[in-house]
Amino acid sequence: MAVAEMWATLKEAIETYTGLSVTTFFTVLAVAAAFYYAVAGFFEPPPPPRKRDAEGLEGVEPLPPPVQLGEITEEELRDYDGSDPNKPLLMAIKGQIYDVTQSRMFYGPGGPYALFAGKDASRALAKMSFEPKDLTGDISELGPFELDALQDWEYKFMSKYVKVGTVKTVPVTEGSDAGASGTTEQTSQTTEDAGIQADHGAQTKEDVITADLDAGKGDDTGRRAEVKENSSSAEGESGP
């Protein structure tokens, strides 16, 4: 009886002071409590790490800050493939070098993309190829879909990793062109001279053959004249 009287008194008080029914009042009260706990959760400090996690964090050395290398060659870039743990892990896309040391589990030794480290792997990333012949920065003859895929990779690297340098391209100097032209001209001249000498040799051989033929004809004519002369002498001696 006492509980029923208290509940009746509570209902009457709620309806009198709030103007709400009992069901509506408790619904509003529950929503308000949920909102309070949700907002309070944003300002609550994070819980302290567990002892085991804290010990693990203490054993991990922080990553060194990225070092700007400037312009280096592809040969120098190969030294940063992760084989030396004291060096940063680098990788290049479209000639731009990025420090991917923080993702050593992917690009370091034993990782799924370890063969890309220390190289400009633009072509391989565009084609999603793991063939050694595609581990190059040459992106010529790529299709539009492959170029779009490469662009997505470049955006990902630009937003996630620090650019530390560029890959140096080796230009073709004028001296090399002049040397190549000189060699070509020299080769052509040598070929031409050889042809002239061959023609001269053929002409000389032809002249020798002609002279031999003429000499043979002269001997034959002499022999014929000698035979004719002998015949005439014989006829004179046997004449009447």
Side-chain angles (χ1 to χ4, degrees):
M1 274 305 280
V3 175
E5 290 178 358
M6 290 179 60
W7 175 244
T9 303
L10 181 61
K11 288 174 59 177
E12 184 178 354
I14 291 173
E15 293 175 356
T16 301
Y17 292 104
T18 64
L20 302 174
S21 64
V22 176
T23 304
T24 304
F25 173 77
F26 282 108
T27 302
V28 172
L29 185 63
V31 171
F35 179 77
Y36 170 78
Y37 283 109
V39 174
F42 288 105
F43 300 98
E44 184 179 358
R50 293 178 299 178
K51 183 177 181 181
R52 181 176 299 178
D53 294 342
E55 291 176 355
L57 292 175
E58 290 177 358
V60 177
E61 297 182 359
L63 294 175
V67 178
Q68 295 295 325
L69 300 177
E71 193 177 34
I72 62 175
T73 63
E74 292 184 354
E75 186 67 26
E76 293 172 330
L77 180 60
R78 293 191 186 98
D79 294 335
Y80 299 91
D81 60 353
S83 57
D84 188 349
N86 296 322
K87 290 183 178 181
L89 187 62
L90 305 182
M91 179 179 165
I93 293 182
K94 296 173 69 174
Q96 309 300 310
I97 303 174
Y98 298 90
D99 188 331
V100 295
T101 306
Q102 67 188 64
S103 299
R104 186 175 289 271
M105 65 178 63
F106 297 105
Y107 300 102
Y113 303 112
L115 74 167
F116 297 156
K119 303 179 185 67
D120 187 334
S122 300
R123 191 176 189 86
L125 290 174
K127 300 175 66 175
M128 286 307 297
S129 169
F130 293 92
E131 296 292 334
K133 65 180 181 180
D134 292 325
L135 297 175
T136 174
D138 181 16
I139 58 175
S140 60
E141 300 180 359
L142 291 179
F145 294 105
E146 294 170 335
L147 292 174
D148 289 342
L150 179 61
Q151 192 67 49
D152 292 339
W153 276 104
E154 186 178 17
Y155 286 151
K156 175 183 177 181
F157 272 63
M158 291 172 61
S159 61
K160 186 175 182 179
Y161 305 114
V162 178
K163 177 185 171 183
V164 296
T166 57
V167 178
K168 182 188 297 185
T169 57
V170 180
V172 178
T173 60
E174 295 181 359
S176 299
D177 293 341
S181 301
T183 303
T184 304
E185 292 177 0
Q186 185 177 2
T187 304
S188 301
Q189 185 65 33
T190 303
T191 304
E192 184 177 355
D193 293 342
I196 293 173
Q197 291 177 1
D199 294 341
H200 180 69
Q203 183 65 34
T204 303
K205 185 175 182 181
E206 182 179 356
D207 293 342
V208 171
I209 294 173
T210 303
D212 291 341
L213 291 175
D214 291 341
K217 288 180 180 178
D219 294 341
D220 188 21
T221 303
R223 285 195 297 271
R224 287 180 181 179
E226 184 178 355
V227 170
K228 184 177 182 181
E229 184 179 355
N230 293 333
S231 299
S232 299
S233 301
E235 288 177 359
E237 291 178 357
S238 60

